[in-house]
Amino acid sequence: MRDFTHNTSLRLSHLLRAAGLVVALLVLTPTTSKAQTWLVSTDAFIKMGVMDKFGQLGNYTARFVVTSQTTGKEYILVKQIEKGQNGVDVIFPSEPSDPDYFKTESGEAAKGTPGRYTWECQVSGKKVVGGRFTFPEVGNDITVVDRR
């Protein structure tokens, strides 16, 4: 009887080890792979600025006006320039979460909508600099990584 019990427990032990190995292999076997998924973001913007080259004005207010040639909307940003600073650069369109951002008189935030724009900077009610720019259509290409 002792041999019978010993053989039975030995077989049971081998069977449990084999079952454990099968379970371990199933757990460690890679699952079916999925294609990589990418998120993409593209923002177009224009940097413009004004500078009192020789610092003759001291403190002054620079009023930037960007006009959409498509809609006719004017987006305005006013910046205070302190003596010694001489000038400032601004980004169009600026984030509405910024304390100062380009917006219409009614408060509508500027967007980087494709199209043609003109801009100018006014100091003491007079145009001191200006120009034009175009925002292009922006497209993004995404490459899908093969499943392996």
Side-chain angles (χ1 to χ4, degrees), residues 113-131:
T113 307
R116 294 173 22 168
Y117 295 82
T118 59
W119 74 275
E120 65 181 49
C121 180
Q122 303 166 354
V123 175
S124 300
K126 296 180 181 177
K127 178 181 173 181
V128 293
V129 293

Side-chain angles (χ1 to χ4, degrees), residues 1-16:
M1 206 154 187
R2 196 169 155 206
D3 286 341
F4 179 76
T5 306
H6 178 67
N7 285 339
T8 304
S9 66
L10 189 59
R11 286 184 188 157
L12 185 59
S13 173
H14 286 282
L15 184 61
L16 288 175

